[in-house]
Amino acid sequence: MSTSVRPSPSKQTASKAADKAAQPARTAKPARAAIYEVRKSPVHGNGVFAMRAIGAGERIIEYRGERITWDEATRRAAERGGPVNHTFYFSLADGNVIDGGRRGNDARWINHACEPNCEAYEDDGRVYIHALLDIAAGEELNYNYALVYDERHTPALKRLFACRCGTPACTGTMLAPKKRSRKAAGAAT
């Protein structure tokens, strides 16, 4: 019959403490200052504001949410009784959509601007928001939504997607300009 001897819990704790004391001290990483905060925006509803200076090219946040098909996004928008582009949807190159309204993060609160200080990049199916230029602490983060709407851009539709960014080059709408057909472009010359 074999027996094993285990140290008592107090001896184990003392032994671990001695081992830890013998290891070189680790210096704690300095806490990084928060990059942004969400608060009320003078542009529209909530907005995202820089808490510290952000350098041009710096990655700020990933746009997160549930990944769904475009058909599901259209169904959800209709269920809510609103246009598909008045949501937290972010279209992906593969035709799918990130629904930031479900399992989303603070990136969904970044407002539109016609002269943005940020830009969204898609990398391997993930969307990241980067600073286009240096951003000062306290400045609101924004990017150009460039919403694609295939229907005719009527005055009523433009009002529905009105832009309130207030930049000098404001187009008055969050809609991307309609691409002119070759036939229409040729007739204009």
Side-chain angles (χ1 to χ4, degrees):
M1 176 180 226
S2 80
T3 59
S4 63
V5 178
R6 291 187 189 170
S8 68
S10 61
K11 287 183 182 177
Q12 284 179 338
T13 304
S15 175
K16 286 181 183 176
D19 288 345
K20 195 171 189 175
Q23 294 176 357
R26 293 185 188 166
T27 42
K29 289 183 181 179
R32 285 189 65 182
I35 296 175
Y36 62 85
E37 72 175 350
V38 176
R39 63 177 192 248
K40 285 290 183 199
S41 168
V43 174
H44 177 73
N46 289 322
V48 178
F49 295 81
M51 292 293 294
R52 63 166 175 80
I54 300 171
E58 186 174 342
R59 181 185 289 176
I60 301 168
I61 188 171
E62 178 180 357
Y63 194 98
R64 292 192 179 157
E66 182 181 2
R67 292 171 180 276
I68 58 175
T69 64
W70 183 250
D71 288 342
E72 176 63 11
T74 303
R75 187 195 67 72
R76 287 180 184 181
E79 189 176 85
R80 289 184 213 140
V84 74
N85 290 323
H86 274 275
T87 61
F88 293 118
Y89 295 160
F90 206 108
S91 299
L92 299 170
D94 67 3
N96 287 317
V97 174
I98 297 174
D99 181 354
R102 294 200 184 174
R103 297 193 311 254
N105 61 357
D106 291 340
R108 67 184 173 199
W109 302 117
I110 299 174
N111 281 314
H112 164 88
C114 296
E115 292 180 288
N117 57 16
C118 295
E119 187 171 29
Y121 288 99
E122 183 177 342
D123 183 19
D124 200 24
R126 296 171 75 174
V127 175
Y128 300 98
I129 309 301
H130 293 258
L132 272 174
L133 43 97
D134 291 338
I135 300 170
E139 194 175 337
E140 184 169 2
L141 308 179
N142 49 60
Y143 60 93
N144 189 327
Y145 291 179
L147 300 174
V148 175
Y149 201 81
D150 294 330
E151 304 303 318
R152 190 169 156 262
H153 288 191
T154 63
L157 184 70
K158 288 181 181 180
R159 279 192 304 277
L160 186 62
F161 292 96
C163 175
R164 300 180 199 106
C165 73
T167 62
C170 182
T171 64
T173 183
M174 294 182 282
L175 296 168
K178 295 283 282 183
K179 292 196 180 193
R180 297 175 70 184
S181 68
R182 290 179 147 220
K183 187 176 183 181
T189 52

Short mmCIF file of all heavy atoms in Angstrom, two decimals, residues 63-92 95-105 107-110 120 127 129 143-148 161 174:
data_model
loop_
_atom_site.label_atom_id
_atom_site.label_comp_id
_atom_site.label_asym_id
_atom_site.label_seq_id
_atom_site.Cartn_x
_atom_site.Cartn_y
_atom_site.Cartn_z
N TYR A 63 -15.89 47.85 -35.96
CA TYR A 63 -17.35 47.88 -36.02
C TYR A 63 -17.84 46.45 -35.83
O TYR A 63 -17.56 45.59 -36.64
CB TYR A 63 -17.83 48.43 -37.37
CG TYR A 63 -19.29 48.80 -37.36
CD1 TYR A 63 -19.68 50.12 -37.17
CD2 TYR A 63 -20.28 47.84 -37.52
CE1 TYR A 63 -21.02 50.48 -37.14
CE2 TYR A 63 -21.61 48.18 -37.49
CZ TYR A 63 -21.99 49.50 -37.30
OH TYR A 63 -23.32 49.84 -37.27
N ARG A 64 -18.55 46.21 -34.74
CA ARG A 64 -18.99 44.85 -34.42
C ARG A 64 -20.50 44.73 -34.39
O ARG A 64 -21.20 45.71 -34.21
CB ARG A 64 -18.43 44.42 -33.07
CG ARG A 64 -16.94 44.26 -33.10
CD ARG A 64 -16.47 43.56 -31.86
NE ARG A 64 -15.03 43.38 -31.94
CZ ARG A 64 -14.27 43.22 -30.90
NH1 ARG A 64 -14.80 43.18 -29.70
NH2 ARG A 64 -12.98 43.07 -31.04
N GLY A 65 -20.95 43.50 -34.53
CA GLY A 65 -22.37 43.21 -34.47
C GLY A 65 -22.62 41.84 -35.06
O GLY A 65 -21.70 41.12 -35.45
N GLU A 66 -23.89 41.49 -35.13
CA GLU A 66 -24.27 40.19 -35.69
C GLU A 66 -24.10 40.21 -37.20
O GLU A 66 -24.47 41.18 -37.86
CB GLU A 66 -25.74 39.91 -35.33
CG GLU A 66 -26.21 38.56 -35.82
CD GLU A 66 -27.67 38.30 -35.49
OE1 GLU A 66 -28.35 39.17 -34.91
OE2 GLU A 66 -28.13 37.20 -35.82
N ARG A 67 -23.52 39.15 -37.74
CA ARG A 67 -23.35 39.03 -39.20
C ARG A 67 -24.56 38.33 -39.78
O ARG A 67 -24.92 37.24 -39.35
CB ARG A 67 -22.08 38.26 -39.52
CG ARG A 67 -20.86 39.04 -39.13
CD ARG A 67 -19.58 38.21 -39.24
NE ARG A 67 -18.48 39.03 -38.84
CZ ARG A 67 -17.83 39.88 -39.65
NH1 ARG A 67 -18.17 39.98 -40.90
NH2 ARG A 67 -16.85 40.62 -39.20
N ILE A 68 -25.19 39.02 -40.74
CA ILE A 68 -26.40 38.48 -41.35
C ILE A 68 -26.34 38.67 -42.86
O ILE A 68 -25.48 39.39 -43.37
CB ILE A 68 -27.65 39.19 -40.78
CG1 ILE A 68 -27.59 40.71 -41.00
CG2 ILE A 68 -27.83 38.86 -39.29
CD1 ILE A 68 -28.84 41.47 -40.58
N THR A 69 -27.28 38.04 -43.57
CA THR A 69 -27.36 38.21 -45.02
C THR A 69 -28.08 39.52 -45.33
O THR A 69 -28.79 40.07 -44.47
CB THR A 69 -28.15 37.05 -45.66
OG1 THR A 69 -29.50 37.10 -45.18
CG2 THR A 69 -27.51 35.70 -45.35
N TRP A 70 -27.95 39.98 -46.56
CA TRP A 70 -28.64 41.19 -46.97
C TRP A 70 -30.16 40.97 -46.93
O TRP A 70 -30.92 41.86 -46.55
CB TRP A 70 -28.18 41.63 -48.36
CG TRP A 70 -28.82 42.91 -48.77
CD1 TRP A 70 -29.75 43.09 -49.73
CD2 TRP A 70 -28.62 44.20 -48.17
NE1 TRP A 70 -30.14 44.42 -49.79
CE2 TRP A 70 -29.45 45.11 -48.83
CE3 TRP A 70 -27.80 44.66 -47.14
CZ2 TRP A 70 -29.51 46.46 -48.51
CZ3 TRP A 70 -27.86 46.01 -46.82
CH2 TRP A 70 -28.70 46.89 -47.51
N ASP A 71 -30.61 39.77 -47.31
CA ASP A 71 -32.04 39.47 -47.26
C ASP A 71 -32.57 39.59 -45.83
O ASP A 71 -33.65 40.14 -45.60
CB ASP A 71 -32.33 38.06 -47.80
CG ASP A 71 -32.17 37.98 -49.31
OD1 ASP A 71 -32.18 39.03 -49.98
OD2 ASP A 71 -32.04 36.85 -49.82
N GLU A 72 -31.80 39.09 -44.85
CA GLU A 72 -32.20 39.20 -43.45
C GLU A 72 -32.20 40.66 -43.01
O GLU A 72 -33.09 41.09 -42.28
CB GLU A 72 -31.29 38.37 -42.55
CG GLU A 72 -31.57 38.49 -41.07
CD GLU A 72 -32.95 38.00 -40.63
OE1 GLU A 72 -33.67 37.36 -41.42
OE2 GLU A 72 -33.32 38.27 -39.46
N ALA A 73 -31.23 41.44 -43.45
CA ALA A 73 -31.18 42.86 -43.11
C ALA A 73 -32.41 43.58 -43.65
O ALA A 73 -33.03 44.39 -42.95
CB ALA A 73 -29.90 43.49 -43.67
N THR A 74 -32.79 43.28 -44.88
CA THR A 74 -33.97 43.88 -45.49
C THR A 74 -35.23 43.49 -44.73
O THR A 74 -36.10 44.32 -44.47
CB THR A 74 -34.07 43.46 -46.97
OG1 THR A 74 -32.86 43.83 -47.63
CG2 THR A 74 -35.24 44.11 -47.67
N ARG A 75 -35.32 42.21 -44.35
CA ARG A 75 -36.47 41.73 -43.59
C ARG A 75 -36.58 42.45 -42.25
O ARG A 75 -37.64 42.91 -41.85
CB ARG A 75 -36.37 40.21 -43.37
CG ARG A 75 -37.63 39.61 -42.73
CD ARG A 75 -37.40 38.21 -42.20
NE ARG A 75 -36.49 38.16 -41.07
CZ ARG A 75 -36.77 38.58 -39.83
NH1 ARG A 75 -37.94 39.12 -39.57
NH2 ARG A 75 -35.88 38.49 -38.86
N ARG A 76 -35.45 42.59 -41.54
CA ARG A 76 -35.44 43.26 -40.24
C ARG A 76 -35.84 44.72 -40.36
O ARG A 76 -36.57 45.24 -39.52
CB ARG A 76 -34.06 43.16 -39.58
CG ARG A 76 -33.75 41.78 -39.06
CD ARG A 76 -32.37 41.75 -38.42
NE ARG A 76 -32.04 40.39 -38.01
CZ ARG A 76 -30.90 40.05 -37.41
NH1 ARG A 76 -30.00 40.98 -37.12
NH2 ARG A 76 -30.68 38.80 -37.08
N ALA A 77 -35.35 45.40 -41.39
CA ALA A 77 -35.69 46.80 -41.57
C ALA A 77 -37.18 46.96 -41.83
O ALA A 77 -37.83 47.84 -41.27
CB ALA A 77 -34.88 47.40 -42.72
N ALA A 78 -37.74 46.08 -42.66
CA ALA A 78 -39.18 46.13 -42.96
C ALA A 78 -39.99 45.85 -41.69
O ALA A 78 -41.02 46.49 -41.44
CB ALA A 78 -39.53 45.13 -44.05
N GLU A 79 -39.52 44.92 -40.88
CA GLU A 79 -40.19 44.57 -39.62
C GLU A 79 -40.25 45.77 -38.68
O GLU A 79 -41.21 45.96 -37.95
CB GLU A 79 -39.41 43.42 -38.97
CG GLU A 79 -40.07 42.78 -37.78
CD GLU A 79 -39.23 41.59 -37.31
OE1 GLU A 79 -38.28 41.82 -36.52
OE2 GLU A 79 -39.52 40.46 -37.73
N ARG A 80 -39.21 46.60 -38.71
CA ARG A 80 -39.15 47.80 -37.86
C ARG A 80 -39.89 48.97 -38.50
O ARG A 80 -39.98 50.05 -37.90
CB ARG A 80 -37.70 48.20 -37.62
CG ARG A 80 -36.97 47.26 -36.69
CD ARG A 80 -35.57 47.77 -36.42
NE ARG A 80 -34.71 46.61 -36.25
CZ ARG A 80 -33.49 46.48 -36.70
NH1 ARG A 80 -32.93 47.47 -37.34
NH2 ARG A 80 -32.81 45.39 -36.50
N GLY A 81 -40.34 48.80 -39.73
CA GLY A 81 -41.10 49.84 -40.41
C GLY A 81 -40.26 50.99 -40.92
O GLY A 81 -40.78 52.07 -41.16
N GLY A 82 -38.98 50.78 -41.11
CA GLY A 82 -38.13 51.87 -41.57
C GLY A 82 -37.29 51.48 -42.77
O GLY A 82 -37.19 50.30 -43.11
N PRO A 83 -36.69 52.46 -43.39
CA PRO A 83 -35.81 52.17 -44.53
C PRO A 83 -34.59 51.38 -44.06
O PRO A 83 -34.14 51.53 -42.92
CB PRO A 83 -35.39 53.54 -45.05
CG PRO A 83 -36.10 54.55 -44.24
CD PRO A 83 -36.78 53.87 -43.11
N VAL A 84 -34.08 50.55 -44.94
CA VAL A 84 -32.97 49.68 -44.58
C VAL A 84 -31.73 50.47 -44.17
O VAL A 84 -30.94 50.00 -43.37
CB VAL A 84 -32.68 48.69 -45.73
CG1 VAL A 84 -31.99 49.40 -46.89
CG2 VAL A 84 -31.84 47.52 -45.26
N ASN A 85 -31.57 51.67 -44.67
CA ASN A 85 -30.36 52.43 -44.35
C ASN A 85 -30.47 53.25 -43.07
O ASN A 85 -29.53 53.92 -42.68
CB ASN A 85 -29.97 53.32 -45.52
CG ASN A 85 -29.46 52.50 -46.68
OD1 ASN A 85 -28.78 51.50 -46.49
ND2 ASN A 85 -29.80 52.88 -47.89
N HIS A 86 -31.63 53.24 -42.41
CA HIS A 86 -31.76 53.92 -41.13
C HIS A 86 -31.63 52.88 -40.01
O HIS A 86 -32.51 52.70 -39.19
CB HIS A 86 -33.09 54.67 -41.03
CG HIS A 86 -33.01 56.04 -41.61
ND1 HIS A 86 -32.56 57.12 -40.89
CD2 HIS A 86 -33.26 56.49 -42.86
CE1 HIS A 86 -32.58 58.20 -41.66
NE2 HIS A 86 -32.98 57.83 -42.85
N THR A 87 -30.52 52.20 -40.04
CA THR A 87 -30.24 51.12 -39.10
C THR A 87 -28.77 51.21 -38.72
O THR A 87 -28.09 52.14 -39.13
CB THR A 87 -30.50 49.76 -39.77
OG1 THR A 87 -29.62 49.65 -40.89
CG2 THR A 87 -31.94 49.62 -40.22
N PHE A 88 -28.29 50.22 -37.99
CA PHE A 88 -26.86 50.14 -37.68
C PHE A 88 -26.19 49.13 -38.60
O PHE A 88 -25.27 48.44 -38.21
CB PHE A 88 -26.67 49.72 -36.22
CG PHE A 88 -27.14 50.74 -35.23
CD1 PHE A 88 -28.17 50.46 -34.35
CD2 PHE A 88 -26.54 51.99 -35.16
CE1 PHE A 88 -28.60 51.40 -33.42
CE2 PHE A 88 -26.96 52.94 -34.24
CZ PHE A 88 -27.99 52.63 -33.38
N TYR A 89 -26.66 49.02 -39.84
CA TYR A 89 -26.11 48.05 -40.78
C TYR A 89 -24.82 48.57 -41.42
O TYR A 89 -24.72 49.74 -41.76
CB TYR A 89 -27.10 47.73 -41.89
CG TYR A 89 -28.36 47.04 -41.44
CD1 TYR A 89 -29.49 47.06 -42.22
CD2 TYR A 89 -28.42 46.35 -40.23
CE1 TYR A 89 -30.65 46.43 -41.83
CE2 TYR A 89 -29.58 45.72 -39.83
CZ TYR A 89 -30.69 45.75 -40.63
OH TYR A 89 -31.83 45.13 -40.24
N PHE A 90 -23.88 47.65 -41.59
CA PHE A 90 -22.64 47.97 -42.30
C PHE A 90 -22.45 46.89 -43.34
O PHE A 90 -22.27 45.73 -43.01
CB PHE A 90 -21.45 47.99 -41.33
CG PHE A 90 -20.34 48.87 -41.80
CD1 PHE A 90 -20.09 50.07 -41.18
CD2 PHE A 90 -19.56 48.50 -42.88
CE1 PHE A 90 -19.07 50.90 -41.61
CE2 PHE A 90 -18.55 49.32 -43.32
CZ PHE A 90 -18.30 50.52 -42.69
N SER A 91 -22.52 47.26 -44.62
CA SER A 91 -22.39 46.29 -45.71
C SER A 91 -20.96 45.83 -45.87
O SER A 91 -20.02 46.63 -45.76
CB SER A 91 -22.86 46.91 -47.03
OG SER A 91 -24.21 47.28 -46.93
N LEU A 92 -20.81 44.54 -46.17
CA LEU A 92 -19.49 43.95 -46.37
C LEU A 92 -19.29 43.60 -47.85
O LEU A 92 -20.25 43.43 -48.60
CB LEU A 92 -19.35 42.68 -45.53
CG LEU A 92 -19.47 42.88 -44.01
CD1 LEU A 92 -19.57 41.54 -43.30
CD2 LEU A 92 -18.31 43.69 -43.50
N GLY A 95 -21.20 40.75 -49.56
CA GLY A 95 -22.64 40.86 -49.70
C GLY A 95 -23.38 40.69 -48.39
O GLY A 95 -24.59 40.92 -48.35
N ASN A 96 -22.70 40.30 -47.34
CA ASN A 96 -23.34 40.18 -46.04
C ASN A 96 -23.32 41.53 -45.33
O ASN A 96 -22.80 42.51 -45.85
CB ASN A 96 -22.65 39.10 -45.20
CG ASN A 96 -22.99 37.71 -45.69
OD1 ASN A 96 -24.14 37.42 -46.02
ND2 ASN A 96 -22.00 36.85 -45.76
N VAL A 97 -23.88 41.55 -44.13
CA VAL A 97 -24.07 42.79 -43.39
C VAL A 97 -23.71 42.56 -41.93
O VAL A 97 -23.98 41.50 -41.39
CB VAL A 97 -25.56 43.23 -43.49
CG1 VAL A 97 -25.85 44.43 -42.63
CG2 VAL A 97 -25.95 43.48 -44.93
N ILE A 98 -23.10 43.57 -41.31
CA ILE A 98 -22.92 43.56 -39.85
C ILE A 98 -24.08 44.39 -39.29
O ILE A 98 -24.25 45.55 -39.66
CB ILE A 98 -21.58 44.19 -39.42
CG1 ILE A 98 -20.41 43.36 -39.96
CG2 ILE A 98 -21.51 44.29 -37.89
CD1 ILE A 98 -19.05 43.98 -39.71
N ASP A 99 -24.87 43.78 -38.42
CA ASP A 99 -25.97 44.49 -37.75
C ASP A 99 -25.46 44.95 -36.39
O ASP A 99 -25.46 44.20 -35.43
CB ASP A 99 -27.19 43.57 -37.60
CG ASP A 99 -28.38 44.27 -36.94
OD1 ASP A 99 -28.23 45.43 -36.50
OD2 ASP A 99 -29.45 43.65 -36.86
N GLY A 100 -25.01 46.20 -36.33
CA GLY A 100 -24.48 46.76 -35.09
C GLY A 100 -25.53 46.97 -34.02
O GLY A 100 -25.21 47.19 -32.87
N GLY A 101 -26.80 46.85 -34.39
CA GLY A 101 -27.88 46.96 -33.43
C GLY A 101 -28.06 45.70 -32.60
O GLY A 101 -28.77 45.70 -31.61
N ARG A 102 -27.43 44.63 -33.02
CA ARG A 102 -27.47 43.35 -32.29
C ARG A 102 -26.03 42.92 -32.02
O ARG A 102 -25.26 42.72 -32.95
CB ARG A 102 -28.18 42.27 -33.10
CG ARG A 102 -29.65 42.59 -33.29
CD ARG A 102 -30.43 41.37 -33.63
NE ARG A 102 -31.82 41.72 -33.89
CZ ARG A 102 -32.71 40.87 -34.33
NH1 ARG A 102 -32.37 39.63 -34.55
NH2 ARG A 102 -33.94 41.25 -34.55
N ARG A 103 -25.70 42.83 -30.75
CA ARG A 103 -24.36 42.47 -30.29
C ARG A 103 -23.31 43.48 -30.81
O ARG A 103 -22.15 43.14 -30.99
CB ARG A 103 -23.98 41.04 -30.69
CG ARG A 103 -24.87 40.00 -30.07
CD ARG A 103 -24.34 38.59 -30.19
NE ARG A 103 -23.92 38.19 -31.50
CZ ARG A 103 -24.59 37.37 -32.30
NH1 ARG A 103 -25.74 36.88 -31.94
NH2 ARG A 103 -24.09 37.03 -33.47
N GLY A 104 -23.74 44.71 -31.04
CA GLY A 104 -22.85 45.75 -31.54
C GLY A 104 -22.09 46.42 -30.42
O GLY A 104 -22.29 46.14 -29.24
N ASN A 105 -21.20 47.32 -30.80
CA ASN A 105 -20.39 48.05 -29.82
C ASN A 105 -20.54 49.55 -30.06
O ASN A 105 -21.41 49.99 -30.81
CB ASN A 105 -18.92 47.60 -29.89
CG ASN A 105 -18.29 47.85 -31.25
OD1 ASN A 105 -18.93 48.31 -32.18
ND2 ASN A 105 -17.02 47.54 -31.36
N ALA A 107 -18.97 51.59 -31.82
CA ALA A 107 -18.72 52.07 -33.18
C ALA A 107 -20.02 52.45 -33.88
O ALA A 107 -20.03 53.32 -34.76
CB ALA A 107 -17.98 51.02 -34.01
N ARG A 108 -21.14 51.84 -33.49
CA ARG A 108 -22.42 52.14 -34.13
C ARG A 108 -22.87 53.58 -33.89
O ARG A 108 -23.75 54.08 -34.58
CB ARG A 108 -23.49 51.16 -33.68
CG ARG A 108 -23.86 51.32 -32.23
CD ARG A 108 -24.84 50.27 -31.79
NE ARG A 108 -25.03 50.35 -30.36
CZ ARG A 108 -25.53 49.39 -29.64
NH1 ARG A 108 -25.88 48.26 -30.23
NH2 ARG A 108 -25.67 49.53 -28.36
N TRP A 109 -22.28 54.25 -32.90
CA TRP A 109 -22.68 55.62 -32.59
C TRP A 109 -21.86 56.67 -33.33
O TRP A 109 -22.08 57.87 -33.14
CB TRP A 109 -22.59 55.87 -31.08
CG TRP A 109 -23.43 54.92 -30.29
CD1 TRP A 109 -22.99 54.01 -29.38
CD2 TRP A 109 -24.85 54.77 -30.32
NE1 TRP A 109 -24.04 53.31 -28.85
CE2 TRP A 109 -25.20 53.75 -29.42
CE3 TRP A 109 -25.87 55.40 -31.04
CZ2 TRP A 109 -26.51 53.35 -29.21
CZ3 TRP A 109 -27.18 55.00 -30.83
CH2 TRP A 109 -27.49 53.99 -29.92
N ILE A 110 -20.90 56.26 -34.15
CA ILE A 110 -20.11 57.23 -34.91
C ILE A 110 -21.00 57.83 -35.99
O ILE A 110 -21.57 57.11 -36.81
CB ILE A 110 -18.85 56.59 -35.52
CG1 ILE A 110 -17.94 56.05 -34.41
CG2 ILE A 110 -18.11 57.60 -36.39
CD1 ILE A 110 -16.74 55.26 -34.91
N ALA A 120 -13.71 54.02 -42.65
CA ALA A 120 -13.91 52.60 -42.35
C ALA A 120 -13.15 51.77 -43.38
O ALA A 120 -13.21 52.05 -44.57
CB ALA A 120 -15.38 52.27 -42.39
N VAL A 127 -14.51 45.11 -40.05
CA VAL A 127 -14.50 46.54 -40.37
C VAL A 127 -13.85 47.29 -39.22
O VAL A 127 -14.24 47.13 -38.06
CB VAL A 127 -15.93 47.05 -40.62
CG1 VAL A 127 -15.94 48.56 -40.83
CG2 VAL A 127 -16.54 46.33 -41.82
N ILE A 129 -12.43 51.21 -37.90
CA ILE A 129 -12.49 52.65 -38.08
C ILE A 129 -11.11 53.21 -37.76
O ILE A 129 -10.56 52.95 -36.69
CB ILE A 129 -13.55 53.30 -37.15
CG1 ILE A 129 -14.90 52.59 -37.26
CG2 ILE A 129 -13.66 54.79 -37.44
CD1 ILE A 129 -15.53 52.57 -38.63
N TYR A 143 -17.39 59.53 -40.02
CA TYR A 143 -16.96 59.08 -41.34
C TYR A 143 -18.12 59.27 -42.29
O TYR A 143 -19.25 59.49 -41.89
CB TYR A 143 -16.43 57.65 -41.34
CG TYR A 143 -17.39 56.57 -40.88
CD1 TYR A 143 -18.18 55.88 -41.80
CD2 TYR A 143 -17.50 56.21 -39.55
CE1 TYR A 143 -19.04 54.88 -41.39
CE2 TYR A 143 -18.36 55.21 -39.13
CZ TYR A 143 -19.13 54.55 -40.05
OH TYR A 143 -19.99 53.56 -39.65
N ASN A 144 -17.83 59.25 -43.59
CA ASN A 144 -18.84 59.46 -44.60
C ASN A 144 -19.56 58.14 -44.84
O ASN A 144 -18.96 57.18 -45.31
CB ASN A 144 -18.21 59.98 -45.89
CG ASN A 144 -19.25 60.41 -46.89
OD1 ASN A 144 -20.35 59.86 -46.98
ND2 ASN A 144 -18.92 61.41 -47.69
N TYR A 145 -20.83 58.07 -44.51
CA TYR A 145 -21.59 56.83 -44.68
C TYR A 145 -21.72 56.45 -46.14
O TYR A 145 -21.78 55.27 -46.46
CB TYR A 145 -23.00 56.97 -44.10
CG TYR A 145 -23.11 57.07 -42.61
CD1 TYR A 145 -24.36 57.22 -42.03
CD2 TYR A 145 -22.02 57.03 -41.75
CE1 TYR A 145 -24.52 57.31 -40.66
CE2 TYR A 145 -22.16 57.12 -40.38
CZ TYR A 145 -23.42 57.27 -39.84
OH TYR A 145 -23.58 57.36 -38.47
N ALA A 146 -21.82 57.42 -47.04
CA ALA A 146 -21.97 57.17 -48.47
C ALA A 146 -22.99 56.06 -48.72
O ALA A 146 -22.71 55.05 -49.35
CB ALA A 146 -20.62 56.83 -49.10
N LEU A 147 -24.19 56.27 -48.20
CA LEU A 147 -25.25 55.27 -48.31
C LEU A 147 -25.67 55.09 -49.76
O LEU A 147 -25.97 56.06 -50.45
CB LEU A 147 -26.45 55.68 -47.46
CG LEU A 147 -26.19 55.84 -45.97
CD1 LEU A 147 -27.43 56.37 -45.26
CD2 LEU A 147 -25.74 54.53 -45.36
N VAL A 148 -25.67 53.86 -50.20
CA VAL A 148 -26.07 53.55 -51.56
C VAL A 148 -27.57 53.25 -51.56
O VAL A 148 -28.04 52.38 -50.83
CB VAL A 148 -25.28 52.33 -52.11
CG1 VAL A 148 -25.79 51.94 -53.49
CG2 VAL A 148 -23.80 52.65 -52.14
N PHE A 161 -32.85 61.21 -45.61
CA PHE A 161 -31.45 60.92 -45.31
C PHE A 161 -30.65 62.21 -45.17
O PHE A 161 -29.50 62.30 -45.59
CB PHE A 161 -30.84 60.02 -46.40
CG PHE A 161 -31.42 58.65 -46.41
CD1 PHE A 161 -32.45 58.31 -47.28
CD2 PHE A 161 -30.94 57.68 -45.55
CE1 PHE A 161 -32.98 57.03 -47.28
CE2 PHE A 161 -31.46 56.39 -45.54
CZ PHE A 161 -32.49 56.08 -46.41
N MET A 174 -26.82 62.05 -46.57
CA MET A 174 -25.89 60.96 -46.27
C MET A 174 -25.80 59.98 -47.43
O MET A 174 -25.03 59.03 -47.39
CB MET A 174 -26.33 60.21 -45.00
CG MET A 174 -26.25 61.05 -43.75
SD MET A 174 -26.72 60.14 -42.27
CE MET A 174 -28.50 60.14 -42.41
#
